[in-house]
Amino acid sequence: MQPKVAAQMFKNLVTEAGGKEAAAAVITSAVGHSISIGTLSRIEHGNAEVPLLWAWALQDATKNACFDSYRAQTHDAPVNACPYDLIGEISKEHGEAVEAGLKAARSSSEEDWSRAVVEHREAAEKHLAMADLCEARAKGAVPMRAASK
């Protein structure tokens, strides 16, 4: 996602949430630690990256799924992706998600639970990419490699 687009969408979410103070309260309740109003300003102006947990918290609070919608519009099915590479990525992300989930289950730390959310969403994205690939290939044969001459 382009940084300017992300910054503008984040700024819109902050406005929809009721301003910086309200947005900070929403984000704080979601991530389990306080955040700075100054950090919100830096993100809104494109001087810092948008933390996905923060965006998801604001999306949930405002019922505006702009980040998810943008990603869905710009995400192409990986018809020509290498299934073996994707399976390797799925395996890596799945392992990280399981590890983070176990750590969170043994912890009372909201930070551990927040990290588990991120890891599980990343694993889910890889699984969805594989589902897209399988669906695209189920519609017709796609050569695995270029034909030899």
Side-chain angles (χ1 to χ4, degrees):
M1 176 177 300
Q2 296 181 6
K4 288 182 180 181
V5 172
Q8 184 60 52
M9 288 192 307
F10 189 80
K11 184 175 185 173
N12 291 343
L13 287 173
V14 169
T15 300
E16 287 180 37
K20 288 184 179 106
E21 290 80 13
V26 167
I27 294 166
T28 296
S29 69
V31 299
H33 57 80
S34 62
I35 63 159
S36 163
I37 300 291
T39 302
L40 288 177
S41 293
R42 283 193 300 280
I43 294 168
E44 287 179 338
H45 292 99
N47 297 323
E49 285 189 32
V50 177
L52 282 178
L53 281 177
W54 295 17
W56 289 329
L58 291 174
Q59 285 185 145
D60 289 347
T62 62
K63 306 296 185 238
N64 177 351
C66 57
F67 280 86
D68 295 338
S69 297
Y70 181 86
R71 185 179 186 288
Q73 291 171 4
T74 60
H75 176 69
D76 295 325
V79 177
N80 295 320
C82 174
Y84 300 107
D85 290 343
L86 197 48
I87 289 167
E89 292 171 17
I90 289 170
S91 179
K92 174 187 170 288
E93 294 298 341
H94 184 79
E96 290 173 357
V98 169
E99 181 181 0
L102 286 170
K103 184 176 181 182
R106 287 182 253 142
S107 169
S108 61
S109 165
E110 291 179 6
E111 187 174 331
D112 288 340
W113 284 101
S114 296
R115 186 75 210 150
V117 168
V118 171
E119 295 300 339
H120 280 277
R121 289 195 192 271
E122 288 174 355
E125 285 181 17
K126 293 298 177 181
H127 280 282
L128 289 174
M130 187 64 178
D132 290 345
L133 174 65
C134 293
E135 182 177 55
R137 293 206 175 171
K139 292 178 182 175
V142 176
M144 293 292 288
R145 300 173 200 259
S148 320
K149 291 185 179 184

